Amino acid sequence: MDSDYGEIEANQDPDALKRLGPDNNAIIWPQPSIDEDEEIDEVEHPINLRLMRLGDDASDLYLSDVGSETSESDLDDDDHFDDSDPSSSVTSLPLANTSNLVQQADEAAITEFQHEVKLSLDRAFAEGHSVDNASVELKTLRMAHNVPLRRVREAVVAAIVNRIKIVESGGPAQRQEIAVVVSRWGDLIDKIGGVDATETIEVLQECCASSERLPLFGQILAALYQEDVVEEEDIRAWHKRPQSRGDEQKSATLQNNFQKCWNAGAFMIKQFDEQKSDEESDEESDEEDTLAKQTRIKEKAAPASSTTTTHRESSENSSEESDDGAEESEEDEVESDELSENESA
């Protein structure tokens, strides 16, 4: 490979390098040569390899349908046959827009990936795989198909939503069905390689708005909130986005369904606000109760402290009186002793 690289670098086309600019250090890789006598596998054919490159729209290629080989010189020759029957040369006409071919190939790859994810999750559901094991298989599929992370999230959310059975009676039975599925598989949404709770709500909205599980959107969102897959701030952030109202949807039906999901989110946010208001009221009430208790304690303690002070003052007075009596008795004793001495003298 190094020898090929050096040989190609040494034999660059000067005119082609000039078109790239004077200060570039690029190398123009030559087009592969095709030996007509050599049998080449269709997948390994240089033109097909070009079509499989990422970011290459193959705009310089002249493509035709399967089974025909058309060169640029053949197309130039075809210009001389304007009076011929168009149907006889349909296979030799180039495609009008090769970027459409690339787009179709991308869509086909995504469809195949979604099918593989569905089969993988069906096995995980049926065989009771752990969430960690299921996420490892999904990450492997994503790397193999080279798809964006959002595509994986869409496939996982759709699989979880479609696994929820619709209970005709609704009510507690339906909520229980949703809780069982979400508690078992909800964590898988965040284990596929990245956490984006707001995008998860967007994907859930798209999934429910286009399926028969539209009435379950609010309950599924509440279950994801209970399982900490999404948080209150995530719901508020999704609800503020303009696309959450469905204004960008071309179908009137989808716009209406998106609006219904948005209304369900508005109801949840209203509950959040009411709960927050109740908590603030409870905190204020607790503070008032605490202050009232402290006041009562102080009032009860005040008489006791005054009584204690009175006792202390009376005891101090008693001790002072006893001290005074002792001093007086001592003085009387001294005087009596002096009188006795004088009499004896």
Side-chain angles (χ1 to χ4, degrees):
M1 183 65 183
D2 293 337
S3 60
D4 293 342
Y5 184 88
E7 182 179 352
I8 291 171
E9 186 177 12
N11 295 282
Q12 291 290 291
D13 183 1
D15 295 332
L17 289 176
K18 288 180 181 179
R19 293 195 295 270
L20 298 178
D23 298 327
N24 80 86
N25 59 353
I27 295 178
I28 300 177
W29 202 263
Q31 296 294 331
S33 59
I34 303 174
D35 188 356
E36 296 181 356
D37 297 333
E38 182 182 359
E39 293 185 1
I40 302 177
D41 184 77
E42 291 184 359
V43 177
E44 299 297 329
H45 194 283
I47 294 179
N48 290 333
L49 291 176
R50 283 285 308 279
L51 295 176
M52 289 187 288
R53 288 179 184 172
L54 295 175
D56 190 346
D57 60 3
S59 59
D60 60 325
L61 296 180
Y62 291 88
L63 305 174
S64 60
D65 64 347
V66 179
S68 64
E69 296 180 359
T70 306
S71 64
E72 187 173 354
S73 61
D74 294 335
L75 294 172
D76 294 336
D77 294 339
D78 288 343
D79 294 338
H80 300 290
F81 298 96
D82 294 336
D83 297 333
S84 61
D85 183 7
S87 63
S88 63
S89 60
V90 134
T91 59
S92 63
L93 292 176
L95 296 177
N97 188 357
T98 54
S99 63
N100 289 339
L101 183 63
V102 176
Q103 182 179 358
Q104 292 174 4
D106 291 341
E107 292 175 353
I110 291 174
T111 302
E112 181 183 359
F113 167 76
Q114 290 173 339
H115 177 68
E116 292 290 338
V117 170
K118 183 179 182 304
L119 294 178
S120 174
L121 291 176
D122 286 344
R123 286 194 302 271
F125 293 156
E127 299 174 8
H129 294 178
S130 67
V131 170
D132 291 334
N133 289 342
S135 65
V136 169
E137 188 166 349
L138 291 176
K139 292 176 184 176
T140 304
L141 288 173
R142 181 197 171 198
M143 290 186 291
H145 291 269
N146 193 31
V147 298
L149 181 60
R150 184 183 177 99
R151 298 298 185 187
V152 188
R153 198 181 307 280
E154 290 172 351
V156 173
V157 170
I160 292 175
V161 170
N162 292 330
R163 185 165 179 78
I164 298 173
K165 297 178 182 178
I166 298 178
V167 180
E168 296 296 334
S169 60
Q174 183 66 76
R175 289 194 294 272
Q176 177 65 22
E177 173 65 21
I178 293 172
V180 169
V181 176
V182 173
S183 62
R184 176 65 175 86
W185 297 105
D187 290 339
L188 182 60
I189 300 173
D190 289 340
K191 289 183 176 293
I192 56 178
V195 177
D196 191 337
T198 306
E199 185 179 83
T200 296
I201 303 174
E202 287 182 354
V203 171
L204 176 64
Q205 182 183 26
E206 294 173 0
C207 179
C208 292
S210 57
S211 71
E212 60 181 350
R213 286 168 174 78
L214 173 63
L216 306 182
F217 171 81
Q219 298 180 53
I220 297 175
L221 181 59
L224 292 174
Y225 172 75
Q226 293 294 333
E227 294 297 327
D228 296 329
V229 178
V230 300
E231 301 292 343
E232 177 182 342
E233 55 268 23
D234 303 319
I235 299 175
R236 292 182 183 274
W238 157 77
H239 198 260
K240 289 180 180 178
R241 293 186 176 183
Q243 58 266 34
S244 64
R245 291 179 175 267
D247 296 336
E248 299 178 358
Q249 301 300 318
K250 297 180 180 180
S251 169
T253 301
L254 278 179
Q255 287 182 2
N256 185 39
N257 292 347
F258 266 68
Q259 185 65 38
K260 291 179 179 179
C261 295
W262 189 87
N263 291 338
F267 181 75
M268 285 192 66
I269 292 174
K270 181 181 178 182
Q271 290 182 320
F272 291 146
D273 294 338
E274 291 176 352
Q275 183 179 4
K276 186 176 181 180
S277 177
D278 292 340
E279 290 176 354
E280 291 177 353
S281 299
D282 292 340
E283 289 178 359
E284 293 177 357
S285 177
D286 291 341
E287 290 178 358
E288 292 176 356
D289 292 342
T290 303
L291 291 174
K293 288 180 180 179
Q294 292 176 350
T295 303
R296 288 195 297 270
I297 292 172
K298 289 180 180 179
E299 290 175 352
K300 291 180 179 179
S305 60
S306 61
T307 304
T308 305
T309 303
T310 304
H311 286 309
R312 287 178 179 175
E313 292 177 351
S314 61
S315 60
E316 289 176 356
N317 293 332
S318 300
S319 60
E320 290 177 357
E321 291 176 355
S322 59
D323 291 339
D324 293 339
E327 290 178 355
E328 291 177 355
S329 61
E330 289 178 356
E331 291 176 355
D332 292 339
E333 290 178 357
V334 170
E335 291 177 356
S336 61
D337 291 339
E338 289 179 352
L339 292 172
S340 300
E341 291 177 355
N342 292 331
E343 288 176 358
S344 49

